[in-house]
Amino acid sequence: MQVIIVDDKVAGGKEAYKVFAKAIKDGAKVLGLATGGTPETTYQELVASELDFSKLISVNLDEYVGLGPDDPQSYNYYMNEHLFSKKPFAKTYLPNGLADDDAVEIARYDQVLADHPVDLQLLGIGENGHIGFNEPGSPIDAKTRKVALTESTIKANARYFEKEEDVPRYAYSMGIGSIMQAKQILLEAFGSKKAQALKALVEGPIDPNVPATILQKHPNVIVIADKEAATLLTK
Ligand code: PGA
């Protein structure tokens, strides 16, 4: 695991751009993408760059159950706003939050991932160490799944909603097993709220109660953290 410490999330976005540029230069065709506050500076850099995504495919980590692409809180909407409307891809995939049948939607998404193995997966990390919506205790070999959000995640994500009750309670998410299939993983952590989770990821033992620690088993992980997130690192 390579850990890059930067001053702030703006500098983090610039480092992340370099990782994307190199992966694409080296032939990456499928980008695994993420939402939330963390990747915003990365998307700003990608949008401002000369990179061409028009022959690339994207596959996103997750989507809230119950929210459609027109809902401003949905991750489909977020991706259009932050990236796809500005940098078109050949094809973009996200879970369908409005799917009628969980099992059908999960099987569809597993097939998307089987057809389009991810070359570079971008990840944030939850304050509780989640990756995607794989909360503490999630099975480490799972593929796409419907997950119940923990209280910690509901509270963390409530900032995007009018009231906490509006935060969806379920999401479809790539499983930890699907995430581990990516050839390369780029995880970003910005801000002091991520310090504990980052310390566990970089220095702690592998612990299913801190899902990100499973990434220690992946052969090609780059972590970009700002100083605040890195305050508890000792090595
Ligand atoms: P955030 O979420 O980027 O909004 O902090 C990251 C995550 O929960 O994975």
Side-chain angles (χ1 to χ4, degrees):
M1 184 179 299
Q2 184 193 350
V3 181
I4 301 172
I5 297 175
V6 294
D7 279 344
D8 54 25
K9 62 184 175 183
V10 174
K14 293 187 198 301
E15 283 300 319
Y17 156 78
K18 291 184 205 164
V19 176
F20 274 88
K22 177 163 192 320
I24 292 168
K25 185 164 163 274
D26 292 347
K29 294 275 176 281
V30 182
L31 302 181
L33 299 178
T35 53
T38 304
E40 284 178 5
T41 55
T42 298
Y43 294 143
Q44 283 160 13
E45 294 294 329
L46 295 182
V47 165
S49 78
E50 77 302 343
L51 291 177
D52 176 18
F53 298 98
S54 66
K55 294 191 176 62
L56 302 193
I57 288 172
S58 73
V59 186
N60 258 79
L61 275 178
D62 46 20
E63 177 61 288
Y64 288 119
V65 168
L67 303 191
D70 297 332
D71 191 312
Q73 312 303 343
S74 74
Y75 290 164
N76 275 269
Y77 190 98
Y78 173 107
M79 288 309 302
N80 279 324
E81 282 286 297
H82 288 87
L83 188 63
F84 301 154
S85 63
K86 297 165 182 155
K87 282 280 190 187
F89 279 66
K91 183 87 185 136
T92 62
Y93 294 97
L94 283 98
N96 172 12
L98 298 180
D100 297 329
D101 184 319
D102 292 337
V104 172
E105 178 57 13
I106 287 166
R108 178 189 76 85
Y109 215 63
D110 280 340
Q111 193 59 49
V112 166
L113 285 163
D115 293 343
H116 307 291
V118 172
D119 293 301
L120 172 62
Q121 176 67 53
L122 181 61
L123 291 179
I125 184 169
E127 290 167 35
N128 62 7
H130 73 203
I131 46 175
F133 272 121
N134 297 289
E135 301 283 21
S138 295
I140 63 171
D141 51 358
K143 298 209 247 176
T144 307
R145 45 204 293 264
K146 182 179 178 180
V147 290
L149 276 53
T150 60
E151 259 331 285
S152 146
T153 300
I154 291 167
K155 282 201 185 337
N157 292 8
R159 68 191 193 275
Y160 294 110
F161 293 80
E162 225 168 88
K163 358 186 235 323
E164 195 175 305
E165 299 85 85
D166 295 342
V167 182
R169 268 33 188 180
Y170 292 91
Y172 295 121
S173 180
M174 282 189 203
I176 295 173
S178 333
I179 292 170
M180 290 292 280
Q181 293 290 312
K183 276 199 209 120
Q184 182 178 26
I185 291 177
L186 170 59
L187 183 143
E188 298 178 306
F190 303 134
S192 56
K193 286 184 178 164
K194 304 296 174 72
Q196 204 73 49
L198 187 73
K199 183 177 173 59
L201 162 65
V202 177
E203 297 181 3
I206 293 177
D207 176 358
N209 286 316
V210 188
T213 60
I214 312 291
L215 298 176
Q216 291 175 17
K217 288 191 176 170
H218 192 287
N220 192 355
V221 178
I222 298 179
V223 174
I224 299 176
D226 70 0
K227 283 184 183 153
E228 288 187 354
T231 42
L232 298 177
L233 299 184
T234 57
K235 291 182 193 154

